Amino acid sequence: MNRPHVVAFGGGVDSTGMVCGLVERGLPIDLILFADTGAERPETYEHIERFSGWLKSNGYPGIEVVRKEKDGEVYTLEQECLQVKCLPSIAYGFKRCSDHYKIRPQHKFMRSWQPALDAWEAGLKVVKYIGYDAGEQRRADNAAKKTDNQYENKYPLIEWHWDREECLEAIERVCGLPAPGKSACFFCPSSRPKEIVDLYERHPDLMDRALKMEENAELTVVKGLGRNYAWKEIVQMHKAQMTLPFTGFDLPCECTE
């Protein structure tokens, strides 16, 4: 039997470019999974719907959206943070949110997807395409250190030596759709000050929700969503047209774009 080929889709430029490259090369795609934390920007949701439509109209599977559930209901990262009175784990130096809201919902879906069950029953691994770009070899190397009896990870962008620019060119060349924006939770603590300002300018409603989360959190070891500063400070300084002195912290989340 043929092994199933699954795309771990992040919703951004890298994963979209990767799928376009797979299409261009005629490589197999049996399933495309996007794990929704419930906190993407509207542009990302619009891109996923648009790109999924293009894929289906060209004979490929549409994008399957999966979400974390609790007690049989969809449970978002924002809900958890508000209920527990905390910030996303990356603010504290951990990467629990990507594990619980990205990786686990995809694994749960796969455990009920018949082609995967048939492959595992036959002693075969499912091929998983992951959109790490040419500059992320270290992430791929770290992933390779973990023994996985169910999946064989492949990193097409690294294999093709594609960075963001090549991905953008592939999107234009293959499907002709508008380039997606950055895919990430709108309240992600890994956001840079300019991204925080952009959120405030373009989506004030989402910024209000992020600041509500920050204000609601019971903080002791960090100052806010920026870890060593509060997003509220960024907004106040931007309103006052002051130069932003903050540089953020270099701890990216594990979500794939």
Side-chain angles (χ1 to χ4, degrees):
M1 64 175 292
N2 293 325
R3 295 193 296 165
H5 291 67
V6 178
V7 173
F9 188 72
V13 170
D14 289 350
S15 56
T16 302
M18 178 181 68
V19 173
C20 287
L22 296 172
V23 169
E24 193 171 43
R25 288 163 172 75
L27 296 173
I29 301 175
D30 300 302
L31 176 68
I32 304 173
L33 281 181
F34 172 74
D36 180 18
T37 65
E40 295 284 351
R41 293 190 182 204
E43 306 94 90
T44 299
Y45 291 121
E46 290 167 5
H47 168 69
I48 291 170
E49 184 176 354
R50 185 166 52 236
F51 190 44
S52 184
W54 180 88
L55 287 163
K56 288 187 286 187
S57 69
N58 284 273
Y60 290 90
I63 298 169
E64 185 79 36
V65 179
V66 296
R67 301 175 177 87
K68 177 181 173 62
E69 293 184 355
K70 183 178 181 180
D71 300 325
E73 301 289 338
V74 172
Y75 189 63
T76 69
L77 178 55
E78 183 178 13
Q79 283 178 282
E80 178 184 346
C81 289
L82 291 173
Q83 289 177 6
V84 184
K85 296 183 180 297
C86 69
L87 301 176
S89 64
I90 194 71
Y92 307 101
F94 304 104
K95 298 179 179 180
R96 176 182 175 278
C97 47
S98 58
D99 177 51
H100 284 238
Y101 288 86
K102 288 285 187 179
I103 297 172
R104 293 191 185 190
Q106 293 185 64
H107 285 340
K108 180 180 179 180
F109 180 90
M110 292 297 294
R111 288 194 295 270
S112 63
W113 189 54
Q114 196 60 48
L117 297 178
D118 292 341
W120 294 331
E121 179 67 24
L124 302 174
K125 291 185 178 183
V126 173
V127 176
K128 184 191 294 185
Y129 295 123
I130 299 175
Y132 294 168
D133 68 27
E136 297 182 294
Q137 182 65 57
R138 186 171 64 177
R139 293 182 71 183
D141 292 341
N142 288 337
K145 297 176 183 177
K146 303 175 183 177
T147 302
D148 193 329
N149 295 322
Q150 294 183 313
Y151 299 96
E152 178 186 348
N153 293 342
K154 288 187 176 293
Y155 308 95
L157 299 181
I158 294 177
E159 179 183 337
W160 305 333
H161 306 290
W162 280 16
D163 59 15
R164 183 180 181 84
E165 189 58 37
E166 277 81 17
C167 288
L168 288 169
E169 291 174 0
I171 294 169
E172 172 62 27
R173 182 173 66 247
V174 176
C175 67
L177 296 177
K182 180 180 179 180
S183 174
C185 292
F186 65 83
F187 47 72
C188 182
S190 293
S191 301
R192 300 301 180 184
K194 65 179 182 179
E195 294 170 333
I196 299 169
V197 170
D198 179 72
L199 180 70
Y200 170 76
E201 292 288 346
R202 298 179 61 187
H203 300 291
D205 57 326
L206 299 184
M207 176 56 77
D208 286 344
R209 286 163 59 185
L211 295 182
K212 178 182 178 181
M213 177 188 295
E214 186 175 69
E215 182 179 359
N216 178 71
E218 296 176 347
L219 305 178
T220 55
V221 297
V222 299
K223 293 182 178 179
L225 280 168
R227 196 177 191 184
N228 53 14
Y229 61 85
W231 278 24
K232 182 178 180 180
E233 297 176 68
I234 296 286
V235 173
Q236 291 174 336
M237 295 185 71
H238 175 65
K239 286 181 179 180
Q241 298 184 333
M242 297 172 63
T243 301
L244 300 178
F246 306 105
T247 57
F249 65 101
D250 189 18
L251 185 62
C253 67
E254 285 299 303
C255 300
T256 56
E257 192 186 15

